[in-house]
Each structure stands twice: as C-alpha cells, then as structure tokens.
Amino acid sequence: MKHGFSRQIPPALLVWILAGLVSGVSIFYRTELPWLVNYPEAWVLPVIEWANTGMDWFVENFRWFFRSISWLLSWAMSGALAVLVWLPWAAAIVLFMGVALIAGGWSLAVFTVAALMYMVVIGYWEESMRTLALVSVSVPLSVIVGFGMGVAALRSRRTNRIVQPALDLMQTVPTFAYLVPILLLFGFGPVVGLIASSIYACPPMVRNTMLALSRVPEEVVESGKMSGATERQLFWWVRFPTALPTIMIGVNQATMAALSMVIIAAIIGSSADIGWEVLSTMRRANFGESLLAGIVIALIAMVLDRITRAFATRDSRKRKYLSGVSNLQTLVGTLFVTAFFIIAAQLYPELNDYPDDWVFYPAGYLNDIVAFVTVEFSGILEAIKNGFLFFLLLPLRIGLENTIRPFTWGFTLTPVISGGYAVMTMLLAAFLGVRYSWRVSVGILLVCSILFFGFEHSPWPMIIILIVVLAWQVVGLWIGILTLSGLGFMLVTGVWVPAMRSLYLCLAAVLCSFLIGCLLGILASQNNRLSGILRPIIDTLQTMPLFVLLIPVLMFFQVGEFTAFLAIIAYAIVPAIRYTEHGLRHVDPEVVEAARSMGCTERQLLWEVRLPLAIPEIMLGLNQTIMFALAMLVIAALVGTRGLGQSIYIALSKADFGLGLVAGLSMALIAIIADRVLHAYSRRQRQALGLQ
Amino acid sequence: MSQPIKLGCHGIWKVYGDNSEVFFDREESPQSRRERIVRGGHIPAACDVSFEVEKGEIFVIMGLSGSGKSTVVRCLSRLIEPSAGQVLLDGENLLEKSKAELIEIRRHRLGMVFQHFGLLPHQTVLENVAFPLRVQGLNLSDREARARKMIELVGLEGREANYPRELSGGQQQRVGIARSLAVDPEIWLLDEPFSALDPLIRRQMQDEFLRLQKLLHKTIIFITHDFLEALKLADRIAIMKDGWVVQIGAPAELVSHPANDYVAEFTRDVPRLKIITAGEVLKTCESKSEPKEFRSNTTIPSNSTLENLLPDLAGSAQGLTVVGADDQVLGKITMHDVINTLANSMEK
Ligand SMILES: Nc1ncnc2c1ncn2[C@@H]1O[C@H](COP(=O)(O)OP(=O)(O)O)[C@@H](O)[C@H]1O
Ligand SMILES: [Mg+2]
C-alpha cells in the first residue's frame, strides 16, 4: 500500500535504518575495539580440531574397510590402464572412430580421429590414455551406483527427502574439498582420483535418473499396467526405456563431471596422466608445454561430451551412416579393423609406439611467442591489470580508504576527500530517494560504504547485518535466517577472512561476467550471425575442465589475483550469455506479435517487451554465473588467490580434514545462499509477470 | 435389451488424500459422507458411483473435466484402488482379486485406450501393438502376426515400422486402439480417446469406432466430455458432476427428460431433430393419439428420428402411423404433435 503523504516510516526502512546504525557504530569504534574487524582467535570454536579428531577416530576404525575398496578398485583400474596403454594407438583410434560413427555419424568420427591424432602427434598419447583409463572405470561405477540410488530414491518418499538436499550439497561443495577425506580414507595413489571422480559424478546421474523416471507420462505407465505387465516388466520394458534419453543425459553429465575430477585429482600427483602434465608444466611456468597438454584435455572433454551426448539424443534404430550398413555391422567391422591393426602393430612397431622423431612438439615456439608478446605489449598488459586492480579489485577488497594512494590513484586520501565522498554519497542517496524510492538510496548507501571500507577491512558485524538484512528484505525471513547461520558459521569457525576474500573476488568477477555476458547475450539475441559465432565458443568453454582455462590467462598475466579474476570471468560468462540470449529469444511470440502490430520498433521491442519479460530467466542466468564463478574460484587457488580456495588447497597438501571440511562447507554455503536468494527472486518475478 | 450384465459397479467411492479409510468407518448417507470428506480436506473424486453395463453395450460416461470420469474408469480396472464399493466382472468382485489374478484379468479380459495415447516412444507401431502379447510371453512370430492383423483392422497398414512420433494424432490413437484390441478383450475401456484430436479427425474416428463395434461387439465404457459425442455413440449415458452420477439413461431420454438443470444445460444446444424419435413424440402427446384409424397412411418405425420422418410428415396432411418393432400400430403423430414435443423439450 502506498500512502502518498503518510508520515509513517515503512517497517522495512526501519529495519534498514537499524542495520545502518549498527554498521555506523561498528565503523566508528573499529580502531578502539579491534575485535570488530579481526575476529579474535580466542573466540573461534575449535570445529576444525573436533572434525579432525572425529575423522582420526573414524579412519583408525574403518581404514580396513576403505582400504579394501581401494584395493579392489585399483585392480579394476590397472586392468583398464593395461588395456588402454597396451592397445596400439592406431588400433585405439579405429576403435574410437567406430564408436563415434555409431553414436553420431561421420562428422563426429572425423572429429574424434582428428582429436586423437593430435594426442599422438604431439606425443601425449600415453598420458591421455591414463586419464581415459581413470574415466573409463569411474564412469560406469558412478552410472551404476547413481542409477540405483536414483531408482531407490524414487521408490520411497522418505529416501527422496534425504537424497535431494544431499545432492544439493554434493554439487555445491567445491571439487578440491572432496579430495581431502578421500585421501585420508583411501590412501594415496591413482585410486583417490578414481574414487573422487566416481563420487563427484554420482549426483548428476542420480538427479537425471530421478527426473527421467518421474517424467514418464502416467498414461504410458498405465498402458503398461493395462497390458498386464508385472512390476518387473513395467520397469524394464516401460519406465526404463521411456526414460532412457534423459538418463543418457545423466550419463553425459556424469562423464563430464568424472573427467573434470580426474583432471583436478592430478593435484595430488599420483598418476602420470595428462592433468599432471598440465599442472607440473604450469608450476614450472612452461606455458607452451602446458598449453599443448591443456589442448589435449580440452579435446578429450569435447570428444567424450559429443559422443555421450550423441548417444543421448540420437534416434537409435533410424539412423544409418553407411547406406545399407546397420549399427551392428559397423561395430563388427570396427572390431575387425581394430584387430587387424593390433596384429599389424606387431609387424610395424610404428603403429604401436609412435616414434619419437615423428613427434611434433612446438612448445618452444609457443614460449617464444608468449615472451615476445609479453615484452612488446608489457605496457598495455600492465595497464589493463593495474586498471582492474586499482579501480575495482582493491577497493572491493580493502576499500577505497586503503587503496587511494599517490602511487595508485595519483593522490592522497585526505580527510577532506573522505568527507567529500561521504557527503556526495549522502546527497546522491537523498536525491535518488526522493526521485525514486528509499530502496534505491539504501542500495546506493550500501554500495558506497562497501566500496569505501572494503570486504576485508569492514567490521564483521557490519558485513553480517547488511548481508542478512539484504537477504531477508529481498526474499524473506527464512532466507535471512539461513544467511545469518551461514555467515555465523564462517565467523565462529575462524575462516571469516578467507571467506571475505573469496566473497569479494567472486563478487567482482560475477559483476564483470554478468555485465559483459548480458551485453553479449542481448547482442546475440538481435543478431543471428553473432549468435552463431558465440554458440560454439560458449559450448566449448562450458565443457572445458576448469584447469585448462587458467593456462592462456597465466601465459600473459603471471600468477596473481588478476589472473584468477580473468579465468573466473572466462568461465562464468557462459551462463550469463546463454540465459540472457535464451530468455530474450523465447519471450511468448504472441506478446511479441502484439507489440509489433502496435508499431513497436525493434529497439522498443527489446527494451519495453523482451527484456522485462526475460528478467526471471536472466536472474537464473545470474544464479548460474555465481555457481560457475565459485567453482572456478577454487581452482583459481592454483594461481595464487587467497581465500577459501587457498584454505582448501592448504588442507589438501597437509591432509587437514577439518580445515578442508570447514572451508568446503563455507564455500557450499555461499553457493547455496546465493542460489536460494536468486531462485526465490526469479520465482517471484515470474509470478508477478504471470508467467508459468 | 435383454443381454446379461457384464460389468457392474456398486457404490464406488474414491477419496484422494492420506488415510482416507477414516471416512468409511460408519454407515451414513452419501451426502453427509461427502461433506465429511470435503471438511477433512480430502478430494472426493468419485462418490457412490453405481451402474451396470450389459454385454455388447456402449456405455458412455460424460461430464466436465474434473468431474471424476477418469477416476471411475480407472477404478473399474483397479489402476486406481477405489476407497469403497464393488466392481463386478461377470459377477465376480474384482476388488478381491490378488495381484497375480488381476494381472491375468488385465492380460486377457480388459483393454484400454488413453486420451494422450500412452504409446511407448521407443517402440515401433508394430512393437507397440504387440506389446500386450509380449508381456504375456507369446513368441515373436505369433504376436507379430496378431499385431499385423490389428493394424490392418484400424487401417494403418504400411506404417508398422514407424515410431509413434512420426504419426499424426489420429494415427497414434489408431495404434492405441489396435493395441487395446490385440488381446481380444471382453471389456473395452476408452478414456476420452478422441478429445486430443482435431474436430474433423474426431468425427472420422467416431465413425471408425462405431464400425469396429459393429464388427467386434465389445462391452464398452467410453469416457467423454463432449455431449454430442456421447449422444452419437452411446447406447446409454451416465452424466457425472463433482464425483456424483447425476443421471443414467438413453440419449433420447436424457434430452427429453433431463433429471435436473445441470443435465438440461447440456441438452440445450443439442439439435432436437437428431435425437427425438417418433416414439418420444407419441409418449409426450399420448392423450391425443387415436390408434388403428390411420392404418392406411404412411407408417414409420417408432425409433426413427424426427430428422428422418419430417419429409414424410410434410407429405401427408393427416399425420403418420407409428409402428413398433413387430409392426403393431402404436399410434399416430401429426405435425402439431411434433411441434408440441419440440416446444416441450425446449422449455426444459
Ligand atoms: N492423484 C490425484 N490426487 C489428488 N486429486 C486427484 C488425483 N487425480 C485426480 N484428482 C482430482 O479428482 C477429481 C477428478 O479427477 P478426474 O477423475 O481426473 O476427472 P476427469 O477425468 O473427469 O477430468 C479432480 O478434482 C482432480 O483434481
Ligand atoms: Mg480425465
């Protein structure tokens, strides 16, 4: 209800004023009471130690169990490894080509052969096969387990209630954090990567299985029942095959998750696979080498993605690629040719082991090029880097009050200037408050004060109360309470500082990727050619294991926060573009026609019709942008960011379960809170627009 | 009609919601039970539904969407377990059958057609039609032979190798019909089989359906929300509203004697000439009829509709003689009688 001349202060504004007061007071006293900024060690709950004690006890008592699993799996893995490494490369390529041919036809087969030939010619064949061996054991494992769990969860409502939140958590806990407990339970060795990737690949499989089976139309099931099918027939002949396409999408996602985890697991360095090659060359700053190896990962990802996706979407019995040749015949033919090459390889060893002097390894040239560019364009590169650092990253992290120095901004921050900033802010807020609504001025005050004091140097009571009130006011009380408990958890467990560093970097990167992504999405929605160019790029970026994205940025900007920032943007921009374009293009065509018939220009159509109606979808894009950014944030710890990612990284290297748990959970909490807030917001917007 | 009762249901209730048994703990009138259910926050989808279907009859259940038709027809085959009541198939209570017995009954004695076809997307037309036989464990060649016969019956020869998504809606429903008939069931249940189709196709399918029934003589429960469809196909119609059966009767009966305003509302737009028969006219204008006198005039059977008898009536000023099935004279109708009957039926 709006009362034009009512003197009453709206209760929501009252809450904000209260929050502002608390913030003001804590800012005012922060020098006298240093605990307001630095949460004292003494107040930290020793959650990390408790977790470690608990874990020690658990490991002590159940090690035999996990070690025996690990032993079993290591057999499976050595088997797969032996086969793949033993298989002559020529024979392996034929085999993969046959599979690609059956899955997706000639174009996919050609692509597959080209990708595999790259690995051979560059000389990374064996490393690639090691990675594939891990994936080829972990994917079937997680597909079977995930399918079984999905079916079980659907059977009973109670299991379902446990499974759903567990899945949410598993998908938001950062990948690195998985490795710590697995390391402790299963011991060192390539098996850790295998287990981590099977666990990590389970959730998408469970989710898709549940989704697929629950979406089988009721009438189809009923028609099966009316045919007199038994329970078993009903499941295997009716439900399962009807759900199969969606289940195969689960297999596709599980494969990609497994691959990304296998690559990440290289960090514990227990298997000489391609992930390790990238990582070790990266650590030695041999960027040419790591780029060449990174391309291998990218190619593996693309081949696996395309093949599994082709299996999910293809029209199984209808398509025949060779006229008059069935899939079965293709398969038999493939096996035949494979066998032929295996035998031939015994006579011509070149087919077995690609000779070293045929290898083409242009790492040196690449390094030269990079060196040339970094020297020639050092001025520009530095300028870009410093621009972002001084005007965006540092203010967000430590605040304008600590950033503005003669060396950075060209002048000293005198009290007069600070006062001027405060007054300008107040005036702006007051003006906007009168002109629009008090909500806008609250927003301005919020942004300006965070910019001035910075995430890391603001008193924690201020940060907590502002974020909690924001969540509460934008979405609702429950989300507010969830936010409060999340932030409280980070505070009392002693990871507040790294959490704030992560938060700030994430915020900065999300801001940039969202802005740029929306812009590109809007342009792409208006321009088919641009859309055609962008689509394969973002598809590729999305399937890329995160590691790989670090390499090109590292080449030009060295280790540091700015590199992490760029890498995060490169990845997180994908959903921003995709959702914006999709949202804009898929506005109800009748509304668009109505607008056109009223004489809207294309520009009016975009700004007055499409954009407002696409807001809910764009918000979901923002949500995904945040999720992607958080995922990359952890990986970015490799290039020297400080924050939760680094904490997890440290936990991993010291096998500190408690720290890994707390840092991983904090990360997951940030993700879950952001997710809930944006989903609720999007839903409300959708309802307000009468969509759905 | 004097066929034996094939399928009967007596006092069927279906209450959606947890613990619905509590509403059936005591004897009470159906009205007060329904009130209790609604007050308890449950959904009474079928309330005290009773009817009997004779062998070879087309029994249509008609009602607006949400009136409980699908629920009732599913109770008949126990796709939905009724909360209370009896379903008698040849006098045996279906609700007392074990799971295994039920599967046997569904395999051999029941066939069902669904609104959205319910076809298996991963199987060809041939495999879909053969599916009920495959479930029974019939061998491949036998079931395909039978399926081909069914496909021929519904006029889909040549499309055996197609997948459902490659067919039009009407064709898909033909597959659904062929499948439901593959086991030669005694009872044929159809839940709004033509509602998802375009009007023109729908008319075609209705004619097709009548043709099939002439051939096969099944006992049919046919669900529809389209009153005209019900009139066209039914031997008898049950009208449902809010879970209740409001009226059961032959099409002409419903039109001329609707039980209440709700039924009358449906009959309002029905073209009377297609429904009202000479027998109806006689019944309405009984007092004035003078039998035997007009034996020499044109005679018409009592079940011919006004549409058919009007040309004759126009040609004979004195009126027409109505004869029964065995040619005995029932009475005389005049133009005046016809107009009276029509006016009468409009008022209701
Ligand atoms: N599984 C269910 N759970 C709860 N209510 C249901 C369920 N199925 C149907 N209903 C309700 O029962 C009523 C009758 O539904 P239905 O038999 O499908 O009607 P019709 O087929 O006549 O459209 C409707 O009000 C519907 O909302
Ligand atoms: Mg229905």
Side-chain angles (χ1 to χ4, degrees), chain B residues 69-70 74 115 191-192 223:
Chain B
K69 310 175 299 288
S70 293
R74 280 166 175 71
Q115 181 173 1
D191 185 8
E192 304 208 25
I223 311 286

Side-chain angles (χ1 to χ4, degrees), chain A residues 95-106 108-109 307 310-311 314 316 319 321 326-332 334:
Chain A
L95 193 62
F96 281 113
M97 189 185 91
V99 173
L101 197 59
I102 291 170
W106 277 112
L108 185 58
I307 289 182
F311 271 117
R314 81 199 182 122
S316 60
R319 281 221 313 246
Y321 300 105
S326 74
N327 285 334
L328 187 67
Q329 284 165 320
T330 314
L331 186 67
V332 172
T334 303

Side-chain angles (χ1 to χ4, degrees), chain B residues 69-88:
Chain B
K69 310 175 299 288
S70 293
T71 303
V72 168
V73 78
R74 280 166 175 71
C75 283
L76 298 181
S77 58
R78 281 180 65 189
L79 281 177
I80 292 175
E81 288 293 336
S83 309
Q86 273 188 325
V87 177
L88 300 180

